[in-house]
Amino acid sequence: MPVPAAGEILIEISACGVCRTDLHVVDGDLPDPKLPIVPGHEIVGRVAACGAGVLTLAVGARVGVPWLGATCGVCPYCRDDRENLCDRPLFTGYTRDGGFATHTVADARYCFALPEDADVAALAPLMCAGLIGWRSYRMAGAGESLGIYGFGAAAHILAQVAIWQGRRVYAFTRPGDDDAQHFARRLGAVWAGGSEETPPERLDAAIIFAPVGALVPAALRAVKKGGRVVCGGIHMSDIPAFPYRILWEERQIVSVANLTRADAHEFLRVAPQAGVKTEVRRYTLAQANEALADLREGRLQGAAVLIP
Ligand SMILES: [Zn+2]
Ligand SMILES: [Zn+2]
């Protein structure tokens, strides 16, 4: 049983989402993890104990723990309201222990109060797929036509927000993945097709959630002049060479890293307004490897959530 240090809380975990980044952690795709590591960074639970100096959260409160576990507070990025780029950060389930467990400790300053009336399994995917998805979505700009490549946990959340805001969502899945395309249309996408297909209109922006570098030139070809391609994942296979003319006309490629606490506060307000309903498949903690395998193979729609 971990013991909370000063500034930390002990959390009894109610649910923890399974994110593609957990796959990258267990596969060793990301450099310098804490080892051994408890993965999991979409944690929902209750405060079981408070370390010294924790004044903002009380025992019994429902809290969420995101990917951003801690920042230094003093580097140029932290001082510039870009704590997502902190030079000395800690990440939940990567460089500090996470939520594939019954209990964990977290820095109280990076935890969020969560509503009591929501289902814990439904809340869990908001903590990364939702929060970093939201940052990617904001980065995509305000255009009306939005492409989303890789229709998994983050996409199914942000598509609901986009449609609520009156945007047209185009969903790109693995070629031939009829289940995912049907899922996207059911959530309100105006079009769903394979990632190699050309959408019926040019897009204002595209977000790539799938870790597939070949999607970058595909998305560049799908966006209009001045359009933006946002890479939302932490890891991606190499991007193949492509002709300059598909980038020209002020198209942009940007990546998104991590989240700020401000992103989280904003998204946790927007999600209930937009009526976001996450679709989850529940697994026991002992089925964690099964959940990771299902995610890897694309065998589930929406998000996988472990219930200890
Ligand atoms: Zn910093
Ligand atoms: Zn994640």
Side-chain angles (χ1 to χ4, degrees):
M1 181 65 67
V3 175
E8 290 183 334
I9 52 174
L10 174 68
I11 297 166
E12 183 179 2
I13 297 171
S14 312
C16 185
V18 181
C19 171
R20 183 160 294 280
T21 299
D22 297 314
L23 278 182
H24 296 312
V25 169
V26 302
D27 287 348
D29 289 332
L30 306 182
D32 306 321
K34 169 191 172 291
L35 289 175
I37 182 71
V38 179
H41 55 273
E42 296 182 309
I43 302 169
V44 176
R46 286 197 186 282
V47 180
C50 293
V54 175
L55 303 173
T56 52
L57 293 167
V59 170
R62 179 177 280 181
V63 290
V65 184
W67 169 249
L68 188 73
T71 57
C72 76
V74 297
C75 75
Y77 295 104
C78 283
R79 284 186 277 128
D80 190 35
D81 290 333
R82 290 190 289 170
E83 64 182 2
N84 61 307
L85 300 177
C86 175
D87 286 333
R88 288 176 295 278
L90 287 175
F91 296 115
T92 310
Y94 174 33
T95 56
R96 67 176 295 164
D97 281 333
F100 290 7
T102 59
H103 294 76
T104 193
V105 290
D107 186 321
R109 297 169 299 167
Y110 297 83
C111 299
F112 308 110
L114 293 178
E116 286 291 333
D117 54 351
D119 174 65
V120 290
L123 282 173
L126 300 183
M127 299 312 299
C128 176
L131 298 185
I132 299 182
W134 173 250
R135 187 171 180 86
S136 307
Y137 179 75
R138 292 284 309 280
M139 200 81 90
E144 288 185 352
S145 57
L146 176 70
I148 302 181
Y149 287 78
F151 209 82
H156 100 287
I157 293 170
L158 274 302
Q160 294 177 55
V161 175
I163 291 158
W164 170 70
Q165 290 181 333
R167 302 187 193 196
R168 296 184 300 282
V169 170
Y170 294 80
F172 297 81
T173 71
R174 299 184 208 205
D177 191 345
D178 295 336
D179 288 346
Q181 291 169 19
H182 175 76
F183 179 51
R185 282 191 214 96
R186 180 161 65 74
L187 290 175
V190 294
W191 179 91
S195 56
E196 81 294 1
E197 291 181 47
T198 305
E201 68 166 316
R202 287 271 186 151
L203 307 172
D204 289 304
I207 305 173
I208 302 176
F209 287 123
V212 181
L215 294 175
V216 173
L220 274 175
R221 287 189 166 92
V223 298
K224 59 177 73 162
K225 287 185 285 188
R228 193 177 267 198
V229 174
V230 180
C231 302
I234 191 171
H235 177 81
M236 190 180 244
S237 56
D238 287 352
I239 301 171
F242 55 84
Y244 175 65
R245 65 182 157 73
I246 68 172
L247 177 64
W248 189 62
E249 293 173 321
E250 302 195 349
R251 292 177 182 85
Q252 299 175 47
I253 306 170
V254 295
S255 69
V256 165
N258 314 317
L259 70 145
T260 67
R261 284 171 285 179
D263 294 329
H265 292 302
E266 200 172 70
F267 178 72
L268 291 172
R269 272 197 309 273
V270 167
Q273 287 170 3
V276 168
K277 289 187 173 53
T278 53
E279 304 217 0
V280 300
R281 186 185 295 177
R282 292 168 170 78
Y283 298 79
T284 64
L285 189 52
Q287 293 172 311
N289 285 322
E290 199 178 306
L292 286 165
D294 286 350
L295 178 62
R296 185 190 305 281
E297 300 302 327
R299 283 194 293 254
L300 59 97
Q301 305 301 341
V305 176
L306 304 183
I307 307 289

